[in-house]
Amino acid sequence: MGTADRPVWVVLLNWKGADDTIACIRSLLAMDDQGWRLAVCDNASPDDSMPRLRAAMDTGFGEDWTELTEAEVDTTIPATRAFLIRNAGNHGYAGGNNVGLRLALKDSGMSHCWVLNNDTEVASDALSQVLRHAAAHPDQGIIGSTLAYYDRPQIMQAAGGAQYNRWTGMVRLIGHAQPVADAVAYAGTRLDFVVGAAMLIHRSWLEQVGLMDASYFLYLEEIDYCRKGAGRFSLGFAPASIVLHKEGGSTGGKRTDISELADFYNIRNRLRVTWRHFPYAMPTVMAGLFITIVNRIRRKQWDRVGMVVRIMFNFKRIDYKDIR
């Protein structure tokens, strides 16, 4: 099968997570559907990620892969099956993945891009199932898979996507903590956005809506992205496509012990999404942050109290480096 017969591009973003990224690549190579090409984007990891990823690409693709700098992406005509891209810096989730999406768009035969978190591993038929769903629903611009917990593969993290409460800025994952066996029961449930850990994006969406907004850096960029496509495309969920997610590996973003980094971007981006898409809800979202402050005081996270206040008054411009 030549590269012209591979209409799907898989985009993986690595930042100090070579173990997870390599495990994800191995799971891709074990799939029954090999009609895909791969772009692994490294966000200037300060560890040994690059040499380890080079070795993994050699093992997985032999001579059928190419290493590129970020600058070379815009001048390269994709020829090999796989690419390892050295991003110029840590661009965050959206900005880092956008580099791979730009390369994929240069492939005239590309029909879809499958954006996966590097801390996911896919079932053997995960791609074929989501593509089968896409073929039956051509109006759906982004389609999610059944996300299951890696350490609890019978339990769902989300049935493809989530609903967003514009009045509070809070997210409710569809099917969260329910059995994977019940995923099909959530087919047809209204989605406000598809969870970014596994998004099959149609080429038409990329051409009409564009790339993700890199200014979000981490978290909630999927909400902004899906809102931008509203009215032109619908969102979908392929229950039979199973993706296992380790959740929060590179950011410390697990619910039980959320890192300062994750806390900052969750709060700041909640306000940015509201200001951009639901400005009438700003008063209630702001009011909810007073509860956030009380929670940080209760946990004796005194430094984060000041962080939340600074975000509230400067969410349009503040970056994480500004509070360090």
Side-chain angles (χ1 to χ4, degrees):
M1 180 184 292
T3 53
D5 302 312
R6 296 190 170 100
V8 179
W9 277 70
V10 181
V11 179
L12 297 180
L13 179 65
N14 181 77
W15 190 73
K16 298 198 308 182
D19 283 341
D20 286 337
T21 303
I22 292 167
C24 184
I25 293 171
R26 287 173 179 159
S27 73
L28 291 168
L29 289 166
M31 288 193 304
D32 52 25
D33 187 335
Q34 289 297 304
W36 50 272
R37 302 174 76 179
L38 175 66
V40 177
C41 305
D42 181 75
N43 255 352
S45 296
D47 61 3
D48 63 348
S49 284
M50 281 302 296
R52 296 186 60 201
L53 292 173
R54 289 186 188 106
M57 299 293 269
D58 279 336
T59 300
F61 301 97
E63 296 182 355
D64 200 11
W65 72 277
T66 303
E67 182 173 332
L68 300 173
T69 65
E70 179 180 342
E72 290 172 328
V73 165
D74 294 321
T75 60
T76 297
I77 303 300
T80 54
R81 183 182 181 192
F83 295 83
L84 176 59
I85 304 169
R86 304 194 311 275
N87 287 353
N90 185 359
H91 303 321
Y93 170 85
N97 278 309
N98 282 347
V99 178
L101 293 173
R102 293 204 323 259
L103 180 65
L105 280 166
K106 300 189 72 175
D107 178 359
S108 60
M110 182 271 287
S111 63
H112 296 83
C113 283
W114 201 23
V115 178
L116 297 174
N117 271 22
N118 73 311
D119 62 345
T120 60
E121 294 185 28
V122 300
S124 61
D125 62 346
L127 179 57
S128 58
Q129 290 289 354
V130 73
L131 288 175
R132 184 174 294 118
H133 179 95
H137 301 85
D139 60 309
Q140 295 178 356
I142 302 182
I143 300 168
S145 297
T146 297
L147 289 172
Y149 287 106
Y150 180 81
D151 55 355
R152 292 174 291 158
Q154 303 308 315
I155 302 298
M156 280 192 287
Q157 180 191 15
Q163 293 172 346
Y164 182 75
N165 187 323
R166 64 191 64 185
W167 299 106
T168 65
M170 304 304 289
V171 167
R172 183 179 75 84
L173 295 172
I174 304 300
H176 177 67
Q178 299 305 305
V180 167
D182 294 343
V184 69
Y186 297 94
T189 301
R190 177 183 63 83
L191 301 178
D192 289 329
F193 68 97
V194 172
V195 176
M199 300 190 297
L200 185 78
I201 309 174
H202 198 285
R203 184 186 190 104
S204 296
W205 177 292
L206 292 166
E207 291 176 340
Q208 295 179 38
V209 179
L211 302 177
M212 290 179 276
D213 185 342
S215 71
Y216 282 88
F217 197 76
L218 285 172
Y219 302 123
L220 306 192
E221 54 273 287
E222 316 107 297
I223 301 172
D224 176 77
Y225 198 41
C226 290
R227 286 290 302 176
K228 285 180 178 178
R232 283 181 279 187
F233 300 91
S234 59
L235 305 175
F237 166 50
S241 174
I242 309 296
V243 175
L244 303 179
H245 189 202
K246 298 168 188 174
E247 192 189 23
S250 63
T251 61
K254 295 187 179 181
R255 297 176 188 273
T256 54
D257 185 24
I258 191 167
S259 71
E260 182 184 72
L261 176 81
D263 210 13
F264 173 86
Y265 283 112
N266 269 309
I267 295 168
R268 190 202 68 172
N269 291 348
R270 189 188 315 170
L271 293 173
R272 286 193 174 183
V273 165
T274 304
W275 181 259
R276 178 174 289 181
H277 298 289
F278 316 106
Y280 50 83
M282 283 299 294
T284 56
V285 175
M286 280 287 192
L289 288 180
F290 287 101
I291 298 175
T292 300
I293 290 172
V294 170
N295 286 333
R296 300 304 178 269
I297 293 173
R298 181 174 55 82
R299 297 172 190 165
K300 298 182 179 180
Q301 295 175 315
W302 308 112
D303 55 332
R304 299 198 191 184
V305 173
M307 179 185 79
V308 176
V309 172
R310 290 184 65 186
I311 293 170
M312 290 173 69
F313 285 97
N314 199 27
F315 66 89
K316 294 180 187 178
R317 293 177 296 275
I318 196 169
D319 286 315
Y320 182 64
K321 67 179 186 299
D322 298 325
I323 68 162
R324 298 301 297 161

